[in-house]
Structures are given as structure tokens and as C-alpha cells.
């Protein structure tokens, strides 16, 4: 109660000083409860994607209608996976090909556009997408496909500072929205299919000066800069090759491509890491730390405080990047400081967010073949060795290992698309997919800037009627409370509100609103292209608004095999839609 009163006071103070103040750390920490703005990816640093607004609710939502739509234009549209941010009547939203737009939230008119001039040699694995900006002070900060961080003047869109985070020629790129914590802008990197070395880095948000760097493959040291001096901050990440054979840790992957969340309560950053490289697991016996893991990182130093590996010795491209979302619950009269994540590998995990201890894990998809289950004490998967793709060295010509059917496919029980947690229903809303793949291993060797997989694959649907399933999951029991299926795979994020509503979009173009308790569909509007972005809601002049970006694309059309053929009729686009109730 005391805590709430304090945050309300802080919120009141920040409103009073809002006119020219720019976004402060307090605005960011309070984002979830302050309806008049959306200043973080995830609608709060914990990324619960929950709004306390209820003017749009199960009774009124049927009257919700679009008030404006804004086109990103351009000949090249492609996937639009962005989440808009809103501050002082301006929307900041990113578009494909590393573009940023500032839009008047009342009229939908463009205020400015920033278009990063990308070099020809960029190597995005999974479409030319971007997932959104960060706001700090009077800056709009985002990551580019050539692996830079760019800070723009919020008023003009002019570049204030620009930093190279990594070498795009080696396969690095940035697609995630940066995260702001304690005055620092924190970013990860993409590139796990090119044998890069994943890392998390913190920069002074106002100046762009590097504060610390934390590689995510065991063996690489991290560093912090203090008073102009470079110091090691590795500690739990130092020993070279301990869980890797030979020199493979030097190109070990573990890309931090989805960015992270920040929990002020335990003062930790949570970042996930992608697959170990290459995909062919027979080349790298061992757990291959810190790949396919969740990492808790000290925001002041970059030190890894704890780690939880969801898929040790991954052999299926089960990136462990998916967001770790903090929530509290009561058990035996005590408050448990937990965090949950729904992994590519098909299991959902509930962890103790203070120390990374495993609390429970359970499948959130109908079928999992690669593991028989999870160790109830540690959460470590119990592998089914017959279902690991075979070693090419065991084949007659050494060129192709035994092919297996693996479920989920490497695009995951859940991929990047963020979950939401409702504080009212105490349920997680998980956008998931039911699909399988044939996967086999091949020989490979690392070469800078070249694909580094050592695997081949074909993704296939498992049902004629649907691939996508929005699931309401109870984190205390592991039970699915309700589901809503969708013909095409789901690829966009979810929003939960106090209006007992859950919003999300589909590749077929629909923005859907469901009753959060029952899953009953109560709203449906077609935006003209597939939705792979994440909806947000905010308040302006006493009215509740809702926005979502529409524009089909992302990894599915590029890598989806037979699923890609099933959805090849879907049209591309690039439009922000904004809705409200009539006056
Ligand atoms: Ca807010
Ligand atoms: Ca990957």
C-alpha cells in the first residue's frame, strides 16, 4: 500500500512537470500505472503488457472504432513488428528497414521521419523488422539492422548521437527495442545464425558513452568502464570453453536478439540468449553456456547474477530469448517473487526472480517430442535421445545425419511475440503455435559473415484447421484455462487490460478483443494486412485509445516451409491503426 501511494505521488509529480521535462527514470518505472503515456516497450519495464484502464471493457468494446490510420509508405513494406510509444501527444513508432516515425496522436499526421541509410551488406536473418524505440530525456533511441544505436531528438528527429554496437559484416544486427534502466540504454544483438558472439551492452542514455559490455558465451570476458578505466566484470562468465569443446565458444552464438526486461524490485535486468552455434549439436558436446538461457544481469556492472538454461546443448534452434516477465503470487500465505517465460522449446517456466531457482515448468503446446519432460527439481529437460537429429559423422558418406520429426518446430511453441499478464485474472496470455519440423544435421565450419547452421529443415503444420493458439495459462497450476485457435500462425504480441479484455492481432489482419476470463471473442476489426506487432493503450483528454501496427511479414514467410506456402496469400502492409470509443 505504501509503495502504491509513493508511486502515485511520483506519477503526480511527473505529470506536473511534463511540459518540457522529457522522459525520466521515474516515468519509466511508473509506466504501467500512468495511463497518459506509454514510455516503455512492454508497457512497463517488467513487460507485463497490462493496462489499468477500463473505459474500453467487455461491455463498451463493441463500439470501438478507428479514428486514424497512418501509412509508413515506401515501396518496401515487409514485416512490422513494432510497439508504438506515446508521450505528450506524440507517437513514436518504428517500421521495416530501420525507420522511425513521430506522429500526432490526435490527428495521425506525421511530425517527422528518420530513415537509417542501411548498407547493402546487412544480414538480418528473419526479415527487415524493428520492434520499437526507447524514450529517455528528449531522446528517441533505437537499434538498426546494421547494428547501431541511434538517438534522435524527440522534437525534430535529428540525430543526437550514434554508436556502432557490433560489426554488421560479421552478421550482427539489432531488431529489438532498447531498454532503459537507471539512465542507461541497454541493448542486445541479433545474429545467432552467423556464429556471432551474443552480448548485452549498456550505454549512457544521454551521451551514448559505453558503460559496460557483457558477452553471453562462456569464455568471453565482460568489461565495465569506471572513471575512464576499463575493468573486468566477468566473474560468472570467465572460464573459456568449460562447457564447449575446443575453440567453438569463439563463435558460440547465444544472441540476445529480443532485448530484455528490468525488474526494479530485485534491481536486475533479464535477457534471454539464443541458440548455440552452429545448430548441429554433435559438433559441440556440453551444455554450451550461456546459450538458450535466461540471464539476470546487474544493471550497474553487467555482471551475470544468475542464469537458467532452458535447453542445455540445444540441437533444435530453441533460442531462449523469450521475455521473462515478473509477477508476484501468494502461496501458503507468502508472496512469491516470481517471473515466467514461455520458451521456444514448448515449456513454460516459473522461476524465482531473486535467484533464478526453478519453481515449476509445464508444456504450453499440445505436443513436445524432443524431451520427455522436465526434471521436477531443476527444470532441466529429460532428453529423448532418439529424437535428437542424428550425427552426420554416423552416416555412410558423412554428409547428412538421421532426420527426425521435432515438435515444436524451430520457430517455436512461442517465438518473439510477447505474452501479457493480467493482474486481475492472474493469468498469462500466450500467443503460441502448433507446428512440427523435419530436421537433420550436416557438416559445417565457421566463416565470418556466412550462415553457420550445419542443419536443414522443413516446417510443417500439425492440424488442418489451425496453427496459432492464444492460450490463457495459469502460472500457479500450469493449466490452460482457455484457448482460441487461429488458422495462420500467431506472430504478434498481446495486451491485457482492467476492462477484462485481451487484445492481439492475426496474420489474417484482424485485431481481436477477447474476454480475459473466458476467451469469448468480443471485438474484431480487419486492418488490411497481417498483424505481427503488439497493441498498446493509453489515455488522452479523458478518452482511452488503442493502437496497433499492421503489416504482414517476419520469419514465417521466409523460413516457414509448408506453413509459408499455406499463408502465401496474405498481403504485406505498413500502417498504424488507432481506435477509441465514440464520444
Ligand atoms: Ca504510462
Ligand atoms: Ca536462432
Amino acid at each position: 500500500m505504501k509503495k502504491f501511494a509513493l508511486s502515485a505521488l511520483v506519477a503526480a509529480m511527473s505529470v506536473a512537470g511534463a511540459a518540457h521535462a522529457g522522459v525520466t527514470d521515474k516515468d519509466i518505472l511508473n509506466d504501467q500505472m500512468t495511463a497518459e503515456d506509454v514510455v516503455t516497450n512492454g508497457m512497463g519495464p517488467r513487460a507485463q503488457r497490462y493496462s489499468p484502464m477500463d473505459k474500453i471493457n467487455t461491455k463498451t468494446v463493441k463500439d470501438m472504432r478507428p479514428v486514424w490510420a497512418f501509412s509508413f509508405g515506401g515501396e518496401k513494406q515487409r514485416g512490422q513488428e513494432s510497439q508504438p510509444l506515446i508521450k505528450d501527444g506524440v507517437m513514436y513508432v518504428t517500421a521495416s528497414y530501420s525507420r522511425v516515425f513521430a506522429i500526432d496522436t490526435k490527428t495521425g499526421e506525421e511530425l517527422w521521419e528518420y530513415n537509417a541509410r542501411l548498407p547493402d551488406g546487412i544480414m538480418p536473418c528473419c526479415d527487415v523488422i524493428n520492434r520499437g524505440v526507447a524514450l529517455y530525456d528528449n531522446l528517441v533511441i533505437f537499434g538498426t539492422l546494421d547494428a547501431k544505436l541511434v538517438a534522435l531528438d524527440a522534437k525534430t528527429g535529428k540525430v543526437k548521437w550514434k554508436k556502432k554496437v557490433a560489426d554488421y559484416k560479421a552478421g550482427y544486427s539489432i531488431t529489438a527495442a532498447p531498454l532503459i534502466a537507471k539512465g542507461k540504454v541497454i541493448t542486445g544483438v541479433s545474429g545467432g545464425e552467423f556464429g556471432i558472439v551474443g552480448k548485452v551492452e549498456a550505454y549512457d542514455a544521454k551521451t551514448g558513452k559505453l558503460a559496460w559490455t557483457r558477452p553471453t558465451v562462456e569464455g568471453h570476458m565482460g568489461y565495465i568502464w569506471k572513471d575512464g578505466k576499463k575493468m573486468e566484470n566477468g566473474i560468472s562468465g570467465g572460464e573459456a570453453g568449460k562447457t564447449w569443446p575446443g575453440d567453438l565458444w569463439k563463435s558460440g552464438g547465444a544472441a540476445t536478439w529480443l532485448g530484455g526486461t528490468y525488474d526494479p524490485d530485485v534491481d536486475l535486468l533479464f535477457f534471454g540468449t539464443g541458440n548455440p552455434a552452429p545448430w548441429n549439436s554433435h559438433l559441440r558436446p556440453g551444455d554450451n553456456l550461456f546459450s538458450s538461457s535466461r540471464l539476470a544481469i546487474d544493471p550497474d556492472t553487467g555482471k551475470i547474477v544468475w542464469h537458467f538454461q532452458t535447453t542445455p546443448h540445444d540441437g533444435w534452434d530453441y533460442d531462449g530469448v523469450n521475455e521473462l516477465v515478473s509477477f508476484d503470487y501468494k502461496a501458503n500465505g507468502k508472496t512469491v517473487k516470481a517471473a515466467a517465460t514461455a520458451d521456444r522449446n514448448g515449456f513454460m517456466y516459473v522461476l524465482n526472480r531473486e535467484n533464478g531457482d526453478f519453481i515449476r515448468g509445464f508444456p504450453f503446446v499440445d505436443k513436445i517430442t524432443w524431451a520427455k519432460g522436465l526434471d521436477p527439481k531443476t527444470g532441466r529437460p529429460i532428453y529423448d535421445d532418439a529424437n535428437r537429429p542424428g550425427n552426420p559423422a554416423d552416416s555412410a558418406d558423412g554428409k547428412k545425419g538421421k532426420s527426425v520429426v521435432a515438435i515444436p518446430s524451430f520457430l517455436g511453441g512461442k517465438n518473439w511475440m510477447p505474452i501479457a499478464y493480467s493482474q486481475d485474472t492472474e493469468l498469462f496470455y500466450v500467443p503460441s503455435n502448433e507446428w512440427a519440423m523435419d530436421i537433420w544435421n550436416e557438416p559445417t565450419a565457421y566463416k565470418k559473415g556466412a550462415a553457420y547452421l550445419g542443419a536443414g529443415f522443413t516446417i510443417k503444420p500439425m492440424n488442418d484447421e489451425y496453427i496459432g493458439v492464444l492460450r490463457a495459462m495459469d502460472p500457479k497450476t500450469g493449466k490452460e484455462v482457455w484457448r482460441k485457435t487461429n488458422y495462420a500462425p500467431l506472430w504478434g504480441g498481446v495486451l491485457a487490460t482492467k476492462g477484462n479484455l485481451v487484445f492481439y492481432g492475426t496474420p489474417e489482419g484482424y485485431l481481436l478483443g477477447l474476454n480475459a476470463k473466458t476467451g469469448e471473442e468480443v471485438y474484431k476489426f480487419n486492418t488490411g494486412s497481417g498483424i505481427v506487432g503488439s497493441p498498446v493503450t493509453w489515455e488522452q483528454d479523458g478518452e482511452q485509445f488503442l493502437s496497433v501496427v499492421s503489416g504482414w511479414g517476419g520469419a514465417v514467410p521466409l523460413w516457414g516451409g509448408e506453413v509459408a506456402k499455406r499463408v502465401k496469400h496474405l498481403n504485406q502492409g505498413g500502417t498504424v491503426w488507432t481506435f477509441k470509443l465514440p464520444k
Side-chain angles (χ1 to χ4, degrees):
M1 199 63 214
K2 207 171 174 184
K3 207 162 192 179
F4 180 76
L6 178 66
S7 65
L9 177 68
V10 169
M13 283 161 60
S14 64
V15 168
H20 304 286
V23 174
T24 64
D25 287 290
K26 278 172 188 166
D27 293 339
I28 287 165
L29 293 178
N30 292 329
D31 192 24
Q32 183 170 58
M33 300 311 286
T34 52
E36 73 281 0
D37 61 20
V38 178
V39 295
T40 55
N41 188 265
M43 298 194 61
R46 293 186 178 101
Q48 288 185 342
R49 295 182 182 275
Y50 169 81
S51 167
M53 273 174 279
D54 62 359
K55 281 175 183 152
I56 298 173
N57 55 50
T58 46
K59 289 204 178 69
T60 60
V61 69
K62 65 181 192 309
D63 295 323
M64 190 174 86
R65 58 199 62 179
V67 286
W68 56 260
F70 174 91
S71 170
F72 295 142
E75 290 163 40
K76 303 168 177 173
Q77 297 191 314
R78 307 285 290 268
Q80 313 293 355
E81 295 186 0
S82 187
Q83 182 219 292
L85 297 190
I86 288 105
K87 176 71 178 165
D88 296 337
V90 181
M91 174 183 289
Y92 303 94
V93 61
T94 58
S96 52
Y97 292 96
S98 305
R99 290 175 289 165
V100 185
F101 293 89
I103 305 166
D104 184 318
T105 54
K106 278 194 180 150
T107 61
E109 279 176 45
E110 179 177 315
L111 301 172
W112 53 257
E113 174 185 356
Y114 174 80
N115 197 331
R117 286 196 201 122
L118 297 168
D120 287 338
I122 55 166
M123 280 182 269
C125 75
C126 307
D127 205 1
V128 288
I129 55 101
N130 184 280
R131 301 196 170 97
V133 300
L135 298 179
Y136 193 70
D137 197 23
N138 291 304
L139 297 172
V140 178
I141 306 168
F142 84 115
T144 64
L145 290 167
D146 58 344
K148 292 188 177 81
L149 274 181
V150 182
L152 306 170
D153 183 306
K155 291 262 163 8
T156 63
K158 295 274 188 311
V159 175
K160 299 291 272 189
W161 59 257
K162 193 189 273 194
K163 288 281 158 172
K164 176 180 164 180
V165 175
D167 179 10
Y168 72 86
K169 289 175 187 155
Y172 289 92
S173 56
I174 301 178
T175 51
L179 167 71
I180 305 284
K182 302 168 100 174
K184 295 188 183 77
V185 54
I186 323 270
T187 185
V189 291
S190 308
E193 274 57 57
F194 301 99
I196 57 103
V197 173
K199 60 179 178 177
V200 179
E201 286 191 337
Y203 296 78
D204 181 299
K206 288 189 186 176
T207 64
K209 214 167 129 188
L210 185 61
W212 52 257
T213 178
R214 175 64 256 167
T216 51
V217 178
E218 184 189 56
H220 297 266
M221 290 307 299
Y223 295 96
I224 180 171
W225 281 261
K226 254 193 186 151
D227 307 322
K229 269 196 226 142
K230 183 179 172 181
M231 301 186 294
E232 285 185 3
N233 72 345
I235 307 174
S236 60
E239 207 169 327
K242 201 171 149 197
T243 58
W244 293 83
D247 280 347
L248 264 80
W249 58 279
K250 289 181 179 170
S251 51
T256 48
W257 59 264
L258 193 47
T261 55
Y262 172 64
D263 188 291
D265 180 31
V266 294
D267 193 24
L268 289 172
L269 300 165
F270 300 128
F271 271 72
T273 58
N275 61 284
W279 288 18
N280 179 348
S281 62
H282 301 282
L283 297 171
R284 44 172 174 74
D287 279 0
N288 313 136
L289 289 173
F290 296 94
S291 67
S292 299
S293 300
R294 303 304 184 284
L295 306 180
I297 295 175
D298 181 333
D300 297 317
T301 65
K303 181 189 163 188
I304 297 175
V305 176
W306 56 256
H307 72 274
F308 180 86
Q309 194 172 32
T310 43
T311 314
H313 195 222
D314 166 51
W316 304 265
D317 189 35
Y318 290 148
D319 287 8
V321 294
N322 289 354
E323 70 284 12
L324 186 65
V325 178
S326 297
F327 72 109
D328 293 338
Y329 69 93
K330 285 262 185 324
N332 306 320
K334 277 194 187 156
T335 298
V336 180
K337 290 188 179 187
T341 188
D343 200 90
R344 286 252 283 253
N345 71 19
F347 291 102
M348 189 161 178
Y349 298 81
V350 178
L351 307 178
N352 177 325
R353 70 177 183 267
E354 293 178 289
N355 55 23
D357 282 356
F358 175 74
I359 296 174
R360 70 183 66 86
F362 41 87
F364 65 94
V365 292
D366 288 341
K367 195 171 177 191
I368 292 174
T369 60
W370 65 277
K372 294 171 186 161
L374 301 177
D375 181 300
K377 281 220 173 67
T378 63
R380 191 180 173 90
I382 303 157
Y383 286 106
D384 187 341
D385 288 334
N387 285 335
R388 180 179 289 269
N391 190 346
D394 296 340
S395 67
D397 61 1
K399 286 189 177 141
K400 186 179 172 183
K402 183 187 77 152
S403 181
V404 299
V405 177
I407 303 171
S409 81
F410 74 87
L411 288 178
K414 184 182 96 66
N415 200 284
W416 85 274
M417 56 283 195
I419 57 179
Y421 175 74
S422 166
Q423 297 180 358
D424 308 314
T425 63
E426 299 184 352
L427 299 173
F428 278 93
Y429 299 96
V430 181
S432 65
N433 291 310
E434 299 286 342
W435 43 21
M437 66 176 167
D438 295 323
I439 180 167
W440 59 91
N441 287 149
E442 297 161 353
T444 186
Y446 175 75
K447 190 170 161 256
K448 183 188 168 185
Y452 185 44
L453 299 186
F457 48 81
T458 307
I459 292 184
K460 308 182 290 193
M462 287 164 60
N463 306 294
D464 289 337
E465 301 79 19
Y466 65 92
I467 297 169
V469 187
L470 185 79
R471 293 173 149 98
M473 300 295 299
D474 184 337
K476 296 189 283 296
T477 63
K479 293 258 159 50
E480 180 185 301
V481 176
W482 55 255
R483 67 165 63 187
K484 183 170 174 63
T485 59
N486 195 69
Y487 180 74
L490 295 181
W491 208 256
V494 184
L495 166 69
T497 76
K498 189 150 196 81
N500 188 30
L501 289 169
V502 171
F503 289 101
Y504 67 109
T506 70
E508 289 89 340
Y510 288 101
L511 172 69
L512 296 178
L514 309 186
N515 181 310
K517 286 191 189 120
T518 64
E520 182 201 351
E521 185 180 295
V522 289
Y523 188 77
K524 190 175 189 182
F525 177 87
N526 199 301
T527 60
S529 176
I531 295 175
V532 292
S534 305
V536 293
T537 187
W538 82 98
E539 191 176 281
Q540 186 167 306
D541 303 331
E543 292 185 284
Q544 186 181 352
F545 287 72
L546 184 142
S547 290
V548 70
V549 179
S550 165
W552 171 237
V556 175
L558 297 172
W559 297 105
E562 290 174 28
V563 170
K565 284 181 204 157
R566 193 194 258 205
V567 295
K568 71 176 189 305
H569 61 287
L570 299 174
N571 290 327
Q572 295 185 343
T575 302
V576 190
W577 286 87
T578 292
F579 303 80
K580 72 175 187 72
L581 297 172
K583 264 207 171 135

